[in-house]
Amino acid sequence: MRNFKYINTIKLALEKECPMKVSCADIVALSARDGFVLLGGPRVEMKTGRKDSKESYIAEVEDFIPNHNDSIPSVLSRFQSIGIDTEGTVALLGAHSIGRVHCTNIVHRIYPTVDPTLDPEYANYLKRRCPSPEPNPKAVQYARNDRITPMLLDNMYYKNILSHKGLLLVDQQLVSDPDTYPFVKMMAADNAYFHEQFSKALLILSENNPLTEEQGEIRRDCRYVNRN
């Protein structure tokens, strides 16, 4: 959500045309849908009508979203709690095909010794991108998730982790876990299958416990609850 400013840009445009009709929650969900298309995926038909929360749930969010150092059983359990099975979880992690990761989140895999599950050439690349074991968290020091097709949400992610080029610990653990490994192989072999499973899981995620009717509100500004 670093680029939340774009959500507010969309909200401002909508408020000019249709005041207090479209929630920020719907904007976020539909932006995910359209982002998937722009990155080479199929269109997922999503429902609308979500309301925005009247209070903050930051603690619950931080407790629920899996950490990149979590074990695979822990990650699977969190997604299964909202109806996404192992196959869907493996597909959603394919979103790591896009974007970058700050060095603070990966240096533990290359310093003081290199994680033995990493391809040696790839480990050298990571050391060039992250030359210090104690990177400045505010510095622009990143490594790309996928160096081959960095702006396509495709199955290159799975090919990379099968070649021991998983950027995050959770990525590489998909290969070592017997429950997830078969799906990694299937998605690496078939991009259409990956897109199909990603679409299904994204839809389930978008419909997880939405606020409707009087449970929520339509915010005027996505950064704040309404004053009245």
Side-chain angles (χ1 to χ4, degrees), residues 37-51:
V37 173
L38 290 169
L39 294 168
R43 182 181 175 86
V44 180
E45 293 302 327
M46 285 188 180
K47 296 176 182 177
T48 54
R50 302 165 187 81
K51 293 291 183 68

Side-chain angles (χ1 to χ4, degrees), residues 82-140:
I82 59 170
I84 298 176
D85 60 14
T86 300
E87 188 176 27
T89 300
V90 174
L92 281 179
L93 282 170
H96 289 180
S97 172
I98 299 295
R100 307 176 297 176
V101 173
H102 197 283
C103 288
T104 55
N105 295 319
I106 54 181
V107 288
H108 65 286
R109 300 196 66 203
I110 50 178
Y111 300 109
T113 58
V114 173
D115 183 333
T117 65
L118 278 174
D119 172 80
E121 182 182 343
Y122 187 64
N124 288 333
Y125 157 74
L126 294 181
K127 284 187 173 182
R128 291 195 300 272
R129 299 297 303 171
C130 306
S132 170
E134 297 181 0
N136 180 349
K138 296 183 179 180
V140 182

Side-chain angles (χ1 to χ4, degrees), residues 2-118:
R2 284 192 194 91
N3 291 321
F4 200 73
K5 59 186 178 183
Y6 297 120
I7 302 299
N8 276 326
T9 299
I10 296 168
K11 179 64 173 174
L12 285 171
L14 284 166
E15 285 302 302
K16 288 180 181 179
E17 298 294 329
C18 312
M20 301 301 288
K21 297 295 184 184
V22 183
S23 70
C24 301
D26 272 352
I27 293 172
V28 171
L30 298 181
S31 295
R33 177 200 67 184
D34 292 352
F36 186 26
V37 173
L38 290 169
L39 294 168
R43 182 181 175 86
V44 180
E45 293 302 327
M46 285 188 180
K47 296 176 182 177
T48 54
R50 302 165 187 81
K51 293 291 183 68
D52 300 316
S53 173
K54 296 179 182 179
E55 57 186 303
S56 171
Y57 287 93
I58 184 68
E60 286 84 349
V61 169
E62 291 184 349
D63 286 342
F64 174 76
I65 296 177
N67 185 279
H68 59 88
N69 290 321
D70 283 348
S71 68
I72 291 298
S74 174
V75 173
L76 292 176
S77 176
R78 294 194 189 196
F79 280 109
Q80 285 167 357
S81 70
I82 59 170
I84 298 176
D85 60 14
T86 300
E87 188 176 27
T89 300
V90 174
L92 281 179
L93 282 170
H96 289 180
S97 172
I98 299 295
R100 307 176 297 176
V101 173
H102 197 283
C103 288
T104 55
N105 295 319
I106 54 181
V107 288
H108 65 286
R109 300 196 66 203
I110 50 178
Y111 300 109
T113 58
V114 173
D115 183 333
T117 65
L118 278 174

